[in-house]
Structure formats: structure tokens, C-alpha cells
Amino acid sequence: MFVFMEIIEVNKVLANQTRLNILHWLKDPERHFPPHKELGHFDFGVCAQYIQEKSGMSQSTISHFLLLLQQADLVIPTRLGKWTYYQRNEETISNYKQHLARL
């Protein structure tokens, strides 16, 4: 359950167009990314490298953005070998939207 301070923290994370884009892209990964060549599917989300390439930003910037999204519980990372995959945390996003609607 969200408390007011958590809503403020999530709002701060979402106050960046690229971070919003990442969440948008992850909502429909098949449309926005090729499947990772070693997996061939999106069961674990999208490889951070593909997110970085699509954004056109540096690896360090995207890593920081993904960390912020992770700390806000908006994405779930899964580490497989040397790759980290990210998918949306739909439960947190739904709870956030419900609490915003009540304000």
C-alpha cells in the first residue's frame, strides 16, 4: 500500500521522459525490442543493453535510470549470466495508479 511519501518518490522517478519511455517500451516488449539472441523470448523482460541502444543514451545513464526504476519498485530485474533483464512490476504500477486516482 502506498503512503503519501512513496507517491512523491515514484513521481520523482517518473519526472523524466526517458524513464517514462522505458516503462512504456517494457509494457509491450515484442513491439519495441528484438528478443535477446540467447533466449529468443521476453519471459524475463528486456536486456539492459537493448534498452540502452533504443534510448540512444550512454550505458551509465541507462544503468542509473534502471536503478532508480528498480528502487521505486517499478521494474523487476532478473540476472541471467552476464545479462540483466528488466520487466515492469505491474502490481506496483497498478497500486500507484489507484492511489493517484484517490487524491
Side-chain angles (χ1 to χ4, degrees):
M1 178 164 211
F2 274 88
V3 295
F4 191 68
M5 290 306 293
E6 289 173 322
I7 290 173
I8 291 171
E9 292 306 313
V10 171
N11 285 344
K12 288 178 186 178
V13 171
L14 297 178
N16 175 280
Q17 186 62 53
T18 301
R19 293 189 293 260
L20 280 173
N21 288 344
I22 291 169
L23 285 179
H24 172 75
W25 298 333
L26 292 178
K27 186 172 185 173
D28 187 5
E30 292 87 0
R31 180 175 171 212
H32 296 285
F33 300 98
H36 194 274
K37 55 189 157 209
E38 293 182 16
L39 296 179
H41 58 73
F42 293 103
D43 294 352
F44 303 107
V46 175
C47 176
Q49 178 184 349
Y50 289 1
I51 296 169
Q52 183 265 319
E53 289 171 359
K54 183 162 182 77
S55 74
M57 300 182 105
S58 71
Q59 182 273 330
S60 61
T61 298
I62 292 304
S63 290
H64 179 68
F65 285 178
L66 289 168
L67 178 63
L68 292 173
L69 290 165
Q70 181 182 342
Q71 289 171 340
D73 202 28
L74 295 170
V75 297
I76 301 167
T78 301
R79 181 94 177 162
L80 295 174
K82 65 180 182 175
W83 305 105
T84 303
Y85 300 84
Y86 292 87
Q87 57 188 330
R88 288 166 46 113
N89 185 338
E90 295 297 345
E91 181 180 350
T92 297
I93 292 169
S94 176
N95 287 338
Y96 170 74
K97 288 167 43 176
Q98 288 174 8
H99 282 83
L100 276 183
R102 293 184 197 144
L103 293 178

